[in-house]
Amino acid sequence: MPFFIGILNTEKYINIGILNTDMNLQTLMDMNPWWREKELIEKDYDIEKWKEKKHSWIPKILNEINLKPFALHILLGPRQAGKTTAVKLLIREQLKLRDPKSIFYFNCEALADYKELIDVIETYLEFKADSDIKHALIILDEITLAREWPRAIKFLIDRGKLKNDVVLLTGSSSIAVKGEGELFPGRRGRGKDFILWPLSFRQWLKVLEPNLYKKISPIKNFNELKKKATSAIIWLDKLNKALIKYMTYGGFPLGIDAINGNKEEAKQAYLSWIKTAVLKADRDDLIARQIFKAILERMPSALSWEGIAKQIEIKSPKTVSAYVNLFKTMFALIVLYNVDISKKTIKFGKSKKMHLIDPLLLELLE
């Protein structure tokens, strides 16, 4: 049975000018309180948590999202990287610039499948039309939790129902694992893929040590390396202390929170993310741990699939390759391939280097 039942009741109104209808639109209104008063975004759970943090920041990728229709954007990233908070911050900024009813947010966690997702979007589109909204920003959070979700998006795009809108989908690594983000050929418009990574050391400095950050000039090319590195050496002692803290807590939001709180809680949250992603991909948790261990023992040396296979119970390079590809698509690991500089080509068959995306994962997986 669809999650939303019935049609809009256009005869009922409430004093703030929003249609007062059956449970379907009321559910959407509950997730979009700024339709009533745009100031209510400040009472949003994620925004309040963000404001309460000792160290908070606005992800710079929000400035890179093209909000001119039509666009189908996909925001990816590991769990607990702050994707939901990021889109709420985007909403907060856009409320200063546009009609609040033109911003639609929906968390898809409670949806069973693509049929219910279609019902949700079409309910909003009816409300949008009745509110005389021409262009909308539609944000569908954790969309991968609805089974066969690409069918809903393709169905609505192919019928021209989203042609005047910007659609932003967020999801965990499962979009990348299943390749679902590639199922919209010719349907993305101005849309792009974005990845929300944990903070790099330099980004971490900007948030936690802003005065030190301002003293360290960014190096834009190799020609600047010697000059700027030399000028930064007077801050080496402070940089080393900051780096030790960064290597201890990492750049994930929960890791940064743990600097003044419970590090064990952060570790368990990210360990749960890795285990869940492995099991959802129908892979063996024990083999995954063996492969991670083999990589960590040799990191940062170059590795081959054959070399890793010798250290685990399943002596199959193909199995190792499949697991490492999973780790890449769940954003736990990056692989640096051997490059032939003279030919400007990648040597996929050669040994490659692998690195975890965040220092906190080193402690989790060792």
Side-chain angles (χ1 to χ4, degrees), residues 334-347:
I334 59 173
V335 177
L336 304 177
Y337 291 95
N338 190 295
V339 175
D340 186 325
I341 297 178
S342 62
K343 296 181 180 179
K344 297 182 180 179
T345 57
I346 298 174
K347 298 180 178 180

Side-chain angles (χ1 to χ4, degrees), residues 79-245:
R79 290 200 177 276
Q80 302 291 341
K83 295 185 296 296
T84 296
T85 300
V87 297
K88 293 291 182 65
L89 289 169
L90 176 63
I91 291 170
R92 189 179 186 228
E93 285 302 305
Q94 285 299 302
L95 284 170
K96 302 173 185 177
L97 306 172
R98 59 198 298 167
D99 188 324
K101 298 172 196 172
S102 72
I103 302 174
F104 173 50
Y105 169 87
F106 193 87
N107 188 305
C108 301
E109 288 182 340
L111 298 183
D113 57 25
Y114 73 97
K115 296 178 183 178
E116 294 184 357
L117 181 56
I118 290 174
D119 285 340
V120 168
I121 299 172
E122 289 193 329
T123 297
Y124 171 69
L125 293 177
E126 289 184 51
F127 167 70
K128 171 192 164 190
D130 289 333
S131 301
D132 199 29
I133 300 295
K134 303 302 181 185
H135 307 287
L137 170 59
I138 298 173
I139 300 174
L140 302 172
D141 200 7
E142 294 293 353
I143 195 170
T144 54
L145 298 178
R147 289 193 308 273
E148 299 184 90
W149 64 268
R151 294 182 63 177
I153 303 302
K154 286 195 288 187
F155 174 83
L156 294 168
I157 290 176
D158 290 347
R159 281 153 185 78
K161 294 193 174 186
L162 301 173
K163 64 182 179 181
N164 296 318
D165 305 314
V166 172
V167 181
L168 174 58
L169 313 178
T170 83
S172 65
S173 57
S174 59
I175 292 182
V177 170
K178 298 175 183 176
E180 290 169 339
E182 300 174 0
L183 296 181
F184 303 102
R187 297 180 176 92
R188 299 289 299 272
R190 295 181 171 87
K192 293 182 179 180
D193 291 342
F194 299 92
I195 300 176
L196 188 60
W197 297 104
L199 295 184
S200 66
F201 178 53
R202 183 169 183 84
Q203 293 167 336
W204 185 94
L205 276 179
K206 186 176 182 179
V207 174
L208 279 85
E209 300 283 352
N211 292 330
L212 181 58
Y213 168 83
K214 292 174 184 176
K215 293 178 172 64
I216 311 300
S217 301
I219 298 172
K220 299 178 181 178
N221 55 62
F222 282 111
N223 294 330
E224 298 180 344
L225 182 59
K226 183 178 179 181
K227 180 180 179 180
K228 292 191 174 180
T230 301
S231 65
I233 201 167
I234 60 175
W235 306 108
L236 184 59
D237 184 55
K238 289 188 175 182
L239 282 171
N240 281 337
K241 290 179 180 178
L243 181 59
I244 289 172
K245 187 178 288 188

Side-chain angles (χ1 to χ4, degrees), residues 12-20 26 29 32-38 40 99-101 127 131:
K12 298 180 182 179
Y13 295 85
I14 54 179
N15 59 10
I16 54 174
I18 297 178
L19 295 174
N20 183 17
Q26 183 62 51
M29 289 167 60
N32 297 268
W34 47 86
W35 292 353
R36 299 183 179 94
E37 296 178 51
K38 64 181 180 180
L40 289 176
D99 188 324
K101 298 172 196 172
F127 167 70
S131 301

Side-chain angles (χ1 to χ4, degrees), residues 287-306:
I287 294 174
R289 280 185 284 170
Q290 291 177 17
I291 293 174
F292 269 126
K293 185 173 184 295
I295 292 171
L296 290 175
E297 287 177 349
R298 297 279 303 279
M299 203 170 66
S301 300
L303 297 165
S304 66
W305 305 143
E306 292 79 9

Side-chain angles (χ1 to χ4, degrees), residues 259-297:
I259 294 174
N260 302 297
N262 187 349
K263 184 180 179 183
E264 194 60 33
E265 182 179 331
K267 289 168 60 178
Q268 289 304 314
Y270 293 121
L271 186 60
S272 175
W273 150 56
I274 291 174
K275 287 184 176 180
T276 300
V278 169
L279 294 175
K280 280 187 175 180
D282 296 322
R283 298 291 178 179
D284 187 281
D285 177 48
L286 178 59
I287 294 174
R289 280 185 284 170
Q290 291 177 17
I291 293 174
F292 269 126
K293 185 173 184 295
I295 292 171
L296 290 175
E297 287 177 349

